[in-house]
Amino acid sequence: MTGVGWDVGLDWPGFAPLHGDMTADACVVGLGASGLAAVEAFADYGMTVVAVDAGRVAGGAAGRNGGFLIAGPEDPLHLAIERWGECAVDLYRATLDELRTLAERYGPAVVRPVGSIRLAGLPGEPRDEAEAADRDAELADCARQVVALNAHGIAVEEYDGPLGRGLFLPDDAATNPAIRATLIARDAAMRDRLCENTRVLEVGRGRVLTEHGTISAGAVVVAVDGRLDVLLPQLRDRVRTARLQMLATDAVPPRLPCPVYGRWGYDYAQQLDDGRLFVGGGRDRFLDDEWTSESHPTEPVQAYIETVARRMADRPVTVTHRWAASVGFTEDGRPLCTRIADGVVAVGGYNGTGNLVGPVAARAAVDWIVDGTPPPAYLST
Ligand SMILES: Cc1cc2nc3c(=O)[nH]c(=O)nc-3n(C[C@H](O)[C@H](O)[C@H](O)COP(=O)(O)OP(=O)(O)OC[C@H]3O[C@@H](n4cnc5c(N)ncnc54)[C@H](O)[C@@H]3O)c2cc1C
């Protein structure tokens, strides 16, 4: 079983690799949603761009994730404020803006404005006392999240429905991540030079060395989330690569009205209009094994995710696709936007929730390089 459920039927002609040396105003490394946002941001400044990826557009986490477009940082807002201060609210607002812009540009082809549900626990009766106690604790945490969101005028409702109890966040949305990235890449390729299958070996001031040639550019953004510590070993003490795993199933009867995440956000599922379920999670249960830059799915994690899928569907499921991808984690949960050399900034470390945060960080990196605007405090420089 190979492939990713998201790109079933996706017609992607691909871009040619870099061929020889090139010069441009700017170079972007990584063609996930973050790198593509950097490409757009440089182009908005009127700069020429060459952007490269070791694989294909959205071949990393950007095309292999849960498709949750969830505003805010990885932690619920009250926890993020505790950890970083009020700048966490600024990140929340920046991601809402990013989502609004994406929806205005691409409409329902990319953004399904359905909200999201944070469940306390997983659907169905708790399996034992420990699960019941954990669910109660999570429900209390949901209440703290409501207080923080209300205090900052961010929409939230209590959820008490067929899936269980928790919160409904009406401003959130869902996407097919592979379609999102490829549509943006097609637009960018009309203007800029995008190269697939071009691995970057070294990044330095004014120069990006790839396996197929050297790109000379005064401005460089490295937008690699997972495996950032592999490409830039100097960041090893600030970002660590982990594997996240998912699966897709055959169609089951409609049950999830929007993206649903439960058990402290570790387990998550999205159901498409055609009934297919996309389910992931379990990283916390296999922590030691999942601190790895490998990106193959493994049997124990997949077996656990199948149990989540059954609970989300409330019935047996047939798995059609299994996959995994790499993401970067940081110590304090703040994403990185950090200077590597003159004119070179690396972004990454979105702690498993980079669909909106990644583009926000990438745009901040471009502003920092081009007009000297310092990154906001919610990014770790
Ligand atoms: C299973 C899973 C589920 C997730 N679910 C969600 C979710 O529902 N919502 C959410 O917000 N986030 C989710 N995430 C996290 C999210 O996918 C990432 O944070 C986001 O995709 C990061 O995007 P990016 O463009 O920064 O990096 P990536 O998507 O990792 O893209 C980086 C690109 O850089 C390329 N690259 C790496 N090294 C090199 C090199 N040396 N040379 C050239 N290119 C290189 C890679 O090939 C890759 O295409 C999930 C992640 C996974 C794995």
Side-chain angles (χ1 to χ4, degrees):
M1 192 182 296
T2 57
V4 180
W6 294 121
D7 52 16
V8 169
L10 185 74
D11 175 25
W12 181 244
F15 299 131
L18 184 73
H19 184 70
D21 297 345
M22 280 198 76
T23 300
D25 296 328
C27 174
V28 174
V29 181
L31 288 172
S34 312
L36 290 165
V39 171
E40 286 177 346
F42 277 128
D44 286 347
Y45 277 105
M47 297 167 74
T48 56
V49 188
V50 178
V52 296
D53 198 291
R56 42 168 283 193
V57 166
R64 307 168 80 87
N65 63 62
F68 287 43
L69 296 173
I70 299 226
E74 181 232 356
D75 280 330
L77 188 59
H78 58 293
L79 284 180
I81 293 173
E82 259 173 54
R83 292 178 87 183
W84 325 337
E86 286 294 313
C87 66
V89 182
D90 298 336
L91 176 57
Y92 209 108
R93 296 199 197 292
T95 51
L96 283 173
D97 287 347
E98 183 69 34
L99 179 52
R100 220 168 284 129
T101 308
L102 192 64
E104 279 166 14
R105 241 176 93 186
Y106 291 101
V110 170
V111 177
R112 289 197 296 137
V114 287
S116 75
I117 291 173
R118 176 191 174 186
L119 270 191
L122 289 174
E125 287 305 311
R127 300 300 193 244
D128 51 35
E129 278 179 21
E131 191 180 332
D134 194 51
R135 185 176 293 197
D136 289 345
E138 192 169 3
L139 209 48
D141 193 63
C142 287
R144 289 191 283 275
Q145 188 177 349
V146 169
V147 171
L149 291 167
N150 282 337
H152 294 91
I154 298 165
V156 60
E157 297 162 21
E158 218 173 279
Y159 174 80
D160 187 353
L163 299 168
R165 293 179 66 194
L167 306 179
F168 176 64
L169 294 129
D171 291 336
D172 291 343
T175 192
N176 173 325
I179 289 180
R180 170 199 181 182
T182 46
L183 281 179
I184 296 173
R186 269 179 223 261
D187 284 354
M190 291 195 243
R191 204 182 41 221
D192 306 300
R193 177 77 189 273
L194 270 51
C195 307
E196 294 184 322
N197 300 310
T198 303
R199 179 170 298 281
V200 170
L201 307 173
E202 214 178 282
V203 180
R205 182 182 171 188
R207 178 177 169 277
V208 174
L209 175 67
T210 84
E211 58 186 333
H212 302 306
T214 298
I215 300 160
S216 302
V220 179
V221 169
V222 180
V224 171
D225 176 26
R227 302 174 64 87
L228 182 57
D229 45 348
V230 177
L231 179 58
L232 298 174
Q234 62 268 51
L235 296 179
R236 261 185 206 152
D237 58 348
R238 300 186 62 194
V239 63
R240 191 173 179 197
T241 295
R243 172 172 57 196
L244 300 183
Q245 304 198 29
M246 287 192 71
L247 57 78
T249 75
D250 266 344
V252 292
R255 185 144 196 263
L256 308 185
C258 62
V260 176
Y261 51 105
R263 209 175 60 74
W264 305 94
Y266 283 115
D267 300 334
Y268 47 93
Q270 180 185 166
Q271 186 169 28
L272 303 198
D273 290 344
D274 63 15
R276 287 183 297 151
L277 276 180
F278 287 71
V279 191
R283 187 181 80 89
D284 60 315
R285 295 184 176 240
F286 303 89
L287 214 46
D288 288 345
D289 292 341
E290 299 307 284
W291 284 123
T292 173
S293 52
E294 289 294 320
S295 53
H296 303 292
T298 61
E299 201 279 327
V301 177
Q302 290 288 319
Y304 172 76
I305 298 175
E306 278 188 53
T307 68
V308 177
R310 284 196 291 274
R311 289 185 73 163
M312 292 285 182
D314 195 26
R315 66 185 57 237
V317 294
T318 303
V319 176
T320 56
H321 298 81
R322 302 180 190 277
W323 67 92
S326 301
V327 296
F329 279 81
T330 62
E331 193 68 41
D332 70 352
R334 273 192 313 157
L336 297 186
C337 180
T338 189
R339 228 173 64 122
I340 301 300
D342 256 5
V344 182
V345 171
V347 291
Y350 310 123
N351 304 287
T353 52
N355 275 345
L356 296 172
V357 177
V360 166
R363 292 183 209 285
V366 171
D367 289 342
W368 194 14
I369 295 173
V370 179
D371 67 16
T373 309
Y378 53 74
L379 298 173
S380 171
T381 52

